[in-house]
Amino acid sequence: MNFKAIIFDLDGVICSTDEYHYQAWKKMADSMGIYFDRTINNRLRGVSRMESLEIILERYQGQPLSDAKKEELATMKNDIYRESLHQMSTADLSDEVRDTLNALRAKGLRLAIGSSSKNTPFILKRLGLENFFDAVSDGNNITRSKPDPEVFLKAAQFVDMEPADCLVVEDAVSGAQAGHAGGFQVACVGDASAAGAGDFNLKSFGQLLELV
Ligand code: B16
Ligand code: MG
């Protein structure tokens, strides 16, 4: 496999902010008396903030909510989430991820981020990775979130590569679908790997080194 670039999802791949997302949505759902659990949470991986809210509201039994109220709920969640992000530091980047990224860089691959999150710049800063990647495509430069391929197509463009030359790394089934829809090969970790959603379903992040 002759990949020239790798595009990494952020939450659930580079770092474990997925748990902070879950805790923040759980607090928002509890405040509204809406049932929410980890199985429902798995459907939110890679999905934008407002679309995530709509999935949670499927269990809401009250009167229909106005757009303004939905904005308020999404903001409530994001405020709680941002609060947890402030506790993050370079210690939240695992040795395995750091060593693998450095080894991939040493092989001359171009490395980019492809994340649905609007908080991507802040998270990269907390991890000490704000200057590491060759390009960052995230929730701030897209209009359609995964499973639409836009975020990955933009990342490929930013590093001046064709999708066929790039490998996408994802933890979400929606993200793996986005990669395939864009014409990329996809390596999965975590939830998406367990679901067999990738061309390569990895047991660990470090296994990426066997693919390039
Ligand atoms: P924000 P990824 C995604 O990031 C998360 O997996 C998903 O749970 C979240 O709703 C989405 O970002 C939007 O995040 O509210 O921070 O803009 O997995 O694509 O890196
Ligand atoms: Mg993810």
Side-chain angles (χ1 to χ4, degrees):
M1 288 145 286
N2 265 334
F3 298 113
K4 295 179 183 154
I6 306 190
I7 304 172
F8 300 91
D9 171 59
L10 183 64
D11 293 308
V13 170
I14 299 292
C15 56
S16 298
T17 35
D18 45 340
E19 179 62 21
Y20 297 144
H21 276 295
Y22 169 69
Q23 297 295 345
W25 280 126
K26 178 81 180 132
K27 282 192 183 139
M28 188 286 295
D30 286 351
S31 79
M32 291 290 288
I34 304 169
Y35 178 78
F36 181 61
D37 62 18
R38 288 179 186 276
T39 307
I40 301 172
N41 186 60
N42 278 340
R43 291 174 58 204
L44 312 185
R45 291 178 190 278
V47 174
S48 74
R49 199 178 307 163
M50 292 313 284
E51 286 169 281
S52 298
L53 176 65
E54 291 297 344
I55 291 172
I56 293 171
L57 290 178
E58 288 171 10
R59 297 285 189 123
Y60 179 62
Q61 316 216 317
Q63 295 296 313
L65 301 176
S66 66
D67 287 351
K69 181 66 187 176
K70 288 182 184 175
E71 281 293 340
E72 189 191 303
L73 295 175
T75 302
M76 181 204 295
K77 181 265 174 177
N78 196 49
D79 288 347
I80 300 168
Y81 177 59
R82 293 277 299 201
E83 195 62 37
S84 355
L85 293 183
H86 276 97
Q87 304 159 19
M88 280 180 86
S89 70
T90 51
D92 285 84
L93 187 67
S94 73
D95 290 343
E96 182 184 12
V97 171
R98 181 184 287 108
D99 293 349
T100 306
L101 287 175
N102 286 331
L104 293 169
R105 163 68 33 89
K107 284 175 185 273
L109 286 145
R110 308 209 86 192
L111 306 179
I113 289 288
S115 166
S116 300
S117 176
K118 293 187 173 170
N119 290 301
T120 295
F122 186 68
I123 296 168
L124 289 177
K125 196 149 198 251
R126 302 301 303 173
L127 296 174
L129 290 176
E130 69 269 43
N131 296 316
F132 180 81
F133 292 96
D134 297 301
V136 174
S137 173
D138 64 25
N140 300 295
N141 63 247
I142 54 169
T143 54
R144 298 177 300 279
S145 93
K146 303 166 187 175
D148 188 283
E150 185 181 10
V151 74
F152 295 134
L153 291 173
K154 289 249 166 75
Q157 232 174 48
F158 293 163
V159 292
D160 214 10
M161 294 283 170
E162 294 300 323
D165 293 324
C166 307
L167 178 67
V168 161
V169 187
E170 261 293 346
D171 72 310
V173 173
S174 64
Q177 289 167 342
H180 285 141
F184 298 88
Q185 288 198 67
V186 181
C188 288
V189 295
D191 192 54
S193 174
D199 302 288
F200 311 99
N201 295 299
L202 309 182
K203 289 193 177 61
S204 68
F205 188 86
Q207 246 190 307
L208 274 175
L209 291 170
E210 295 166 20
L211 301 182
V212 296

